[in-house]
Amino acid sequence: MQQNRVAVVTGGASGIGKETAYKFASKGDRVVVADFNAEGGQAVVDHIVAHGGEAIFVKTDVSKYEDVEALVEKAVDTFGRIDVMFNNAGIGRVTPVLDQNLNDYHNVIQVNQHGVAYGIIAAGKKMRELGIKGVIINTASVFGFLASPGTFAYHASKGAVIMMTKSAALEMADLGIRVIAVAPGAVDTPIIQGYKDKGMIDSMKSKVMGNKLTLPEQVADTVYLLTLDEASAINGSVVMADEGYASFK
């Protein structure tokens, strides 16, 4: 077990981010929970502390570089280092491409794509400055590979995450910093449960092994495992956490 690392988790107030924050804390790592949702994020921190862990909350709008940079600085100011950056914050909209509201389009790109880029840059710079051979993990998606009606901006953003991961991994390898993406499929998160068309959820279930949504805890387990030294050969890769969605669709 690796303990006393410092892990920053964006989108940490709910879903995959929340469960990943709990996972790191349960293994003895100190956690910085970041989210725009202050109430939800603080609740996650309170849960961790109540169970004997160490955590702080930092309200963060990942679409703003200054917020992400301040988040990384706060992690280091509080805990002295940053070992893991999990760029997980994301949003989604379901709209036919020709009916796309451009504000919604830009919001998805700013959070899902730019937010990941900012996390890679800010965390990477700080790891280089401190001489830390850290791990940066980005939440991609099976929708970075597969097309589906109504999610034009989401596809664009997740495809970008995949290529940013590969590019950043190539450039940071000499620093000993690994950059990896995890690609969930149909995960039982607030984004999916927010779909008004429940038939869409049933359709997603039908395309995975076991005919069920993946639990956020399962993705969190994958993320944690990728940060361990035992996974040191995994770099620049997109690790599928989709229960076969991309393979059997």
mmCIF file of all heavy atoms in Angstrom, residues 211-242:
data_model
loop_
_atom_site.group_PDB
_atom_site.id
_atom_site.type_symbol
_atom_site.label_atom_id
_atom_site.label_comp_id
_atom_site.label_asym_id
_atom_site.label_seq_id
_atom_site.Cartn_x
_atom_site.Cartn_y
_atom_site.Cartn_z
ATOM 1 N N ASN A 211 -25.474 -6.072 -18.890
ATOM 2 C CA ASN A 211 -26.673 -5.250 -19.081
ATOM 3 C C ASN A 211 -26.924 -4.327 -17.876
ATOM 4 O O ASN A 211 -28.035 -4.249 -17.340
ATOM 5 C CB ASN A 211 -27.902 -6.149 -19.319
ATOM 6 C CG ASN A 211 -29.097 -5.359 -19.838
ATOM 7 O OD1 ASN A 211 -28.934 -4.414 -20.597
ATOM 8 N ND2 ASN A 211 -30.284 -5.734 -19.404
ATOM 9 N N LYS A 212 -25.872 -3.627 -17.450
ATOM 10 C CA LYS A 212 -26.010 -2.749 -16.293
ATOM 11 C C LYS A 212 -25.038 -1.584 -16.416
ATOM 12 O O LYS A 212 -24.047 -1.654 -17.152
ATOM 13 C CB LYS A 212 -25.701 -3.514 -15.006
ATOM 14 C CG LYS A 212 -24.296 -4.096 -14.941
ATOM 15 C CD LYS A 212 -24.062 -4.891 -13.664
ATOM 16 C CE LYS A 212 -22.694 -5.544 -13.653
ATOM 17 N NZ LYS A 212 -21.588 -4.573 -13.726
ATOM 18 N N LEU A 213 -25.345 -0.524 -15.711
ATOM 19 C CA LEU A 213 -24.428 0.609 -15.651
ATOM 20 C C LEU A 213 -23.233 0.267 -14.774
ATOM 21 O O LEU A 213 -23.362 -0.431 -13.768
ATOM 22 C CB LEU A 213 -25.139 1.840 -15.093
ATOM 23 C CG LEU A 213 -26.312 2.403 -15.899
ATOM 24 C CD1 LEU A 213 -26.917 3.590 -15.164
ATOM 25 C CD2 LEU A 213 -25.872 2.818 -17.301
ATOM 26 N N THR A 214 -22.070 0.756 -15.151
ATOM 27 C CA THR A 214 -20.880 0.614 -14.317
ATOM 28 C C THR A 214 -21.024 1.522 -13.100
ATOM 29 O O THR A 214 -21.549 2.632 -13.193
ATOM 30 C CB THR A 214 -19.623 1.019 -15.110
ATOM 31 O OG1 THR A 214 -19.530 0.214 -16.281
ATOM 32 C CG2 THR A 214 -18.363 0.845 -14.281
ATOM 33 N N LEU A 215 -20.556 1.054 -11.962
ATOM 34 C CA LEU A 215 -20.612 1.871 -10.755
ATOM 35 C C LEU A 215 -19.423 2.829 -10.708
ATOM 36 O O LEU A 215 -18.306 2.480 -11.132
ATOM 37 C CB LEU A 215 -20.584 0.973 -9.512
ATOM 38 C CG LEU A 215 -21.780 0.036 -9.341
ATOM 39 C CD1 LEU A 215 -21.562 -0.847 -8.114
ATOM 40 C CD2 LEU A 215 -23.078 0.815 -9.216
ATOM 41 N N PRO A 216 -19.616 4.042 -10.194
ATOM 42 C CA PRO A 216 -18.494 4.976 -10.058
ATOM 43 C C PRO A 216 -17.340 4.383 -9.263
ATOM 44 O O PRO A 216 -16.170 4.681 -9.533
ATOM 45 C CB PRO A 216 -19.117 6.171 -9.338
ATOM 46 C CG PRO A 216 -20.563 6.107 -9.676
ATOM 47 C CD PRO A 216 -20.894 4.651 -9.771
ATOM 48 N N GLU A 217 -17.669 3.544 -8.275
ATOM 49 C CA GLU A 217 -16.620 2.918 -7.461
ATOM 50 C C GLU A 217 -15.690 2.046 -8.300
ATOM 51 O O GLU A 217 -14.489 1.945 -8.005
ATOM 52 C CB GLU A 217 -17.241 2.064 -6.350
ATOM 53 C CG GLU A 217 -18.053 2.855 -5.344
ATOM 54 C CD GLU A 217 -19.537 2.893 -5.688
ATOM 55 O OE1 GLU A 217 -19.871 3.123 -6.877
ATOM 56 O OE2 GLU A 217 -20.350 2.691 -4.763
ATOM 57 N N GLN A 218 -16.232 1.425 -9.340
ATOM 58 C CA GLN A 218 -15.406 0.572 -10.193
ATOM 59 C C GLN A 218 -14.397 1.400 -10.975
ATOM 60 O O GLN A 218 -13.242 0.991 -11.154
ATOM 61 C CB GLN A 218 -16.295 -0.219 -11.150
ATOM 62 C CG GLN A 218 -17.180 -1.254 -10.477
ATOM 63 C CD GLN A 218 -18.115 -1.923 -11.465
ATOM 64 O OE1 GLN A 218 -19.128 -1.357 -11.868
ATOM 65 N NE2 GLN A 218 -17.772 -3.138 -11.861
ATOM 66 N N VAL A 219 -14.820 2.549 -11.449
ATOM 67 C CA VAL A 219 -13.887 3.434 -12.169
ATOM 68 C C VAL A 219 -12.850 3.987 -11.191
ATOM 69 O O VAL A 219 -11.664 4.084 -11.518
ATOM 70 C CB VAL A 219 -14.643 4.571 -12.868
ATOM 71 C CG1 VAL A 219 -13.666 5.462 -13.640
ATOM 72 C CG2 VAL A 219 -15.707 4.019 -13.810
ATOM 73 N N ALA A 220 -13.289 4.320 -9.984
ATOM 74 C CA ALA A 220 -12.359 4.821 -8.966
ATOM 75 C C ALA A 220 -11.279 3.796 -8.670
ATOM 76 O O ALA A 220 -10.101 4.148 -8.509
ATOM 77 C CB ALA A 220 -13.127 5.169 -7.683
ATOM 78 N N ASP A 221 -11.655 2.535 -8.590
ATOM 79 C CA ASP A 221 -10.668 1.477 -8.356
ATOM 80 C C ASP A 221 -9.631 1.453 -9.473
ATOM 81 O O ASP A 221 -8.426 1.294 -9.224
ATOM 82 C CB ASP A 221 -11.356 0.113 -8.276
ATOM 83 C CG ASP A 221 -12.140 -0.079 -6.987
ATOM 84 O OD1 ASP A 221 -11.923 0.683 -6.026
ATOM 85 O OD2 ASP A 221 -12.986 -0.997 -6.949
ATOM 86 N N THR A 222 -10.091 1.609 -10.712
ATOM 87 C CA THR A 222 -9.176 1.610 -11.856
ATOM 88 C C THR A 222 -8.213 2.778 -11.779
ATOM 89 O O THR A 222 -6.999 2.632 -11.986
ATOM 90 C CB THR A 222 -9.970 1.674 -13.176
ATOM 91 O OG1 THR A 222 -10.850 0.548 -13.256
ATOM 92 C CG2 THR A 222 -9.039 1.662 -14.378
ATOM 93 N N VAL A 223 -8.750 3.960 -11.476
ATOM 94 C CA VAL A 223 -7.909 5.152 -11.366
ATOM 95 C C VAL A 223 -6.838 4.954 -10.295
ATOM 96 O O VAL A 223 -5.649 5.238 -10.521
ATOM 97 C CB VAL A 223 -8.769 6.392 -11.045
ATOM 98 C CG1 VAL A 223 -7.885 7.596 -10.721
ATOM 99 C CG2 VAL A 223 -9.689 6.721 -12.208
ATOM 100 N N TYR A 224 -7.232 4.467 -9.147
ATOM 101 C CA TYR A 224 -6.272 4.260 -8.062
ATOM 102 C C TYR A 224 -5.165 3.292 -8.486
ATOM 103 O O TYR A 224 -3.972 3.560 -8.261
ATOM 104 C CB TYR A 224 -6.975 3.740 -6.811
ATOM 105 C CG TYR A 224 -6.008 3.455 -5.690
ATOM 106 C CD1 TYR A 224 -5.461 4.490 -4.943
ATOM 107 C CD2 TYR A 224 -5.592 2.152 -5.422
ATOM 108 C CE1 TYR A 224 -4.537 4.240 -3.940
ATOM 109 C CE2 TYR A 224 -4.667 1.895 -4.417
ATOM 110 C CZ TYR A 224 -4.146 2.941 -3.678
ATOM 111 O OH TYR A 224 -3.219 2.694 -2.697
ATOM 112 N N LEU A 225 -5.548 2.185 -9.072
ATOM 113 C CA LEU A 225 -4.556 1.181 -9.480
ATOM 114 C C LEU A 225 -3.544 1.770 -10.462
ATOM 115 O O LEU A 225 -2.357 1.448 -10.411
ATOM 116 C CB LEU A 225 -5.251 -0.022 -10.101
ATOM 117 C CG LEU A 225 -6.050 -0.911 -9.136
ATOM 118 C CD1 LEU A 225 -6.865 -1.937 -9.907
ATOM 119 C CD2 LEU A 225 -5.130 -1.596 -8.139
ATOM 120 N N LEU A 226 -3.999 2.649 -11.339
ATOM 121 C CA LEU A 226 -3.106 3.247 -12.337
ATOM 122 C C LEU A 226 -2.067 4.166 -11.712
ATOM 123 O O LEU A 226 -1.037 4.447 -12.327
ATOM 124 C CB LEU A 226 -3.920 4.016 -13.380
ATOM 125 C CG LEU A 226 -4.760 3.165 -14.332
ATOM 126 C CD1 LEU A 226 -5.677 4.056 -15.164
ATOM 127 C CD2 LEU A 226 -3.864 2.320 -15.235
ATOM 128 N N THR A 227 -2.307 4.634 -10.500
ATOM 129 C CA THR A 227 -1.346 5.531 -9.855
ATOM 130 C C THR A 227 -0.243 4.786 -9.112
ATOM 131 O O THR A 227 0.723 5.413 -8.668
ATOM 132 C CB THR A 227 -2.055 6.460 -8.850
ATOM 133 O OG1 THR A 227 -2.541 5.695 -7.730
ATOM 134 C CG2 THR A 227 -3.205 7.207 -9.502
ATOM 135 N N LEU A 228 -0.367 3.480 -8.970
ATOM 136 C CA LEU A 228 0.606 2.717 -8.200
ATOM 137 C C LEU A 228 1.882 2.453 -8.997
ATOM 138 O O LEU A 228 1.877 2.421 -10.230
ATOM 139 C CB LEU A 228 -0.009 1.389 -7.762
ATOM 140 C CG LEU A 228 -1.261 1.469 -6.884
ATOM 141 C CD1 LEU A 228 -1.757 0.073 -6.554
ATOM 142 C CD2 LEU A 228 -0.993 2.271 -5.615
ATOM 143 N N ASP A 229 2.963 2.231 -8.290
ATOM 144 C CA ASP A 229 4.230 1.904 -8.952
ATOM 145 C C ASP A 229 4.111 0.628 -9.772
ATOM 146 O O ASP A 229 4.817 0.459 -10.779
ATOM 147 C CB ASP A 229 5.341 1.738 -7.910
ATOM 148 C CG ASP A 229 5.776 3.055 -7.296
ATOM 149 O OD1 ASP A 229 5.462 4.121 -7.878
ATOM 150 O OD2 ASP A 229 6.415 3.032 -6.226
ATOM 151 N N GLU A 230 3.248 -0.271 -9.328
ATOM 152 C CA GLU A 230 3.062 -1.536 -10.055
ATOM 153 C C GLU A 230 2.477 -1.313 -11.451
ATOM 154 O O GLU A 230 2.530 -2.208 -12.297
ATOM 155 C CB GLU A 230 2.142 -2.471 -9.258
ATOM 156 C CG GLU A 230 2.788 -3.060 -8.010
ATOM 157 C CD GLU A 230 2.727 -2.158 -6.806
ATOM 158 O OE1 GLU A 230 2.375 -0.956 -6.941
ATOM 159 O OE2 GLU A 230 3.024 -2.640 -5.693
ATOM 160 N N ALA A 231 1.948 -0.114 -11.703
ATOM 161 C CA ALA A 231 1.410 0.217 -13.028
ATOM 162 C C ALA A 231 2.350 1.133 -13.804
ATOM 163 O O ALA A 231 1.935 1.797 -14.750
ATOM 164 C CB ALA A 231 0.046 0.879 -12.882
ATOM 165 N N SER A 232 3.629 1.150 -13.416
ATOM 166 C CA SER A 232 4.567 2.122 -13.989
ATOM 167 C C SER A 232 4.819 1.953 -15.481
ATOM 168 O O SER A 232 5.294 2.879 -16.135
ATOM 169 C CB SER A 232 5.901 2.058 -13.234
ATOM 170 O OG SER A 232 6.489 0.770 -13.366
ATOM 171 N N ALA A 233 4.485 0.796 -16.037
ATOM 172 C CA ALA A 233 4.672 0.596 -17.475
ATOM 173 C C ALA A 233 3.530 1.191 -18.291
ATOM 174 O O ALA A 233 3.603 1.243 -19.526
ATOM 175 C CB ALA A 233 4.798 -0.902 -17.792
ATOM 176 N N ILE A 234 2.488 1.656 -17.625
ATOM 177 C CA ILE A 234 1.335 2.233 -18.324
ATOM 178 C C ILE A 234 1.525 3.739 -18.406
ATOM 179 O O ILE A 234 1.528 4.441 -17.394
ATOM 180 C CB ILE A 234 0.020 1.883 -17.601
ATOM 181 C CG1 ILE A 234 -0.161 0.382 -17.513
ATOM 182 C CG2 ILE A 234 -1.172 2.524 -18.338
ATOM 183 C CD1 ILE A 234 -1.373 -0.061 -16.707
ATOM 184 N N ASN A 235 1.701 4.237 -19.610
ATOM 185 C CA ASN A 235 1.942 5.658 -19.822
ATOM 186 C C ASN A 235 1.473 6.046 -21.214
ATOM 187 O O ASN A 235 1.719 5.324 -22.184
ATOM 188 C CB ASN A 235 3.423 5.988 -19.652
ATOM 189 C CG ASN A 235 3.681 7.476 -19.523
ATOM 190 O OD1 ASN A 235 2.765 8.254 -19.244
ATOM 191 N ND2 ASN A 235 4.918 7.883 -19.714
ATOM 192 N N GLY A 236 0.764 7.168 -21.305
ATOM 193 C CA GLY A 236 0.255 7.626 -22.588
ATOM 194 C C GLY A 236 -0.884 6.781 -23.110
ATOM 195 O O GLY A 236 -1.304 6.938 -24.258
ATOM 196 N N SER A 237 -1.400 5.907 -22.275
ATOM 197 C CA SER A 237 -2.436 4.962 -22.694
ATOM 198 C C SER A 237 -3.821 5.457 -22.319
ATOM 199 O O SER A 237 -3.994 6.253 -21.399
ATOM 200 C CB SER A 237 -2.213 3.603 -22.024
ATOM 201 O OG SER A 237 -0.942 3.081 -22.344
ATOM 202 N N VAL A 238 -4.810 4.930 -23.040
ATOM 203 C CA VAL A 238 -6.205 5.115 -22.665
ATOM 204 C C VAL A 238 -6.692 3.775 -22.146
ATOM 205 O O VAL A 238 -6.789 2.803 -22.884
ATOM 206 C CB VAL A 238 -7.061 5.562 -23.862
ATOM 207 C CG1 VAL A 238 -8.508 5.762 -23.418
ATOM 208 C CG2 VAL A 238 -6.503 6.837 -24.482
ATOM 209 N N VAL A 239 -6.970 3.725 -20.856
ATOM 210 C CA VAL A 239 -7.395 2.479 -20.222
ATOM 211 C C VAL A 239 -8.917 2.435 -20.197
ATOM 212 O O VAL A 239 -9.568 3.309 -19.608
ATOM 213 C CB VAL A 239 -6.822 2.381 -18.790
ATOM 214 C CG1 VAL A 239 -7.318 1.116 -18.103
ATOM 215 C CG2 VAL A 239 -5.297 2.405 -18.841
ATOM 216 N N MET A 240 -9.477 1.433 -20.850
ATOM 217 C CA MET A 240 -10.928 1.312 -20.934
ATOM 218 C C MET A 240 -11.484 0.774 -19.613
ATOM 219 O O MET A 240 -11.013 -0.242 -19.099
ATOM 220 C CB MET A 240 -11.324 0.387 -22.078
ATOM 221 C CG MET A 240 -10.662 0.702 -23.414
ATOM 222 S SD MET A 240 -10.901 2.407 -23.980
ATOM 223 C CE MET A 240 -12.654 2.370 -24.362
ATOM 224 N N ALA A 241 -12.464 1.472 -19.080
ATOM 225 C CA ALA A 241 -13.167 1.022 -17.881
ATOM 226 C C ALA A 241 -14.655 1.004 -18.223
ATOM 227 O O ALA A 241 -15.472 1.688 -17.619
ATOM 228 C CB ALA A 241 -12.884 1.949 -16.708
ATOM 229 N N ASP A 242 -14.983 0.200 -19.249
ATOM 230 C CA ASP A 242 -16.295 0.308 -19.895
ATOM 231 C C ASP A 242 -17.096 -0.984 -19.937
ATOM 232 O O ASP A 242 -18.154 -1.025 -20.567
ATOM 233 C CB ASP A 242 -16.110 0.825 -21.316
ATOM 234 C CG ASP A 242 -15.328 -0.143 -22.201
ATOM 235 O OD1 ASP A 242 -14.663 -1.052 -21.657
ATOM 236 O OD2 ASP A 242 -15.389 -0.007 -23.432
#
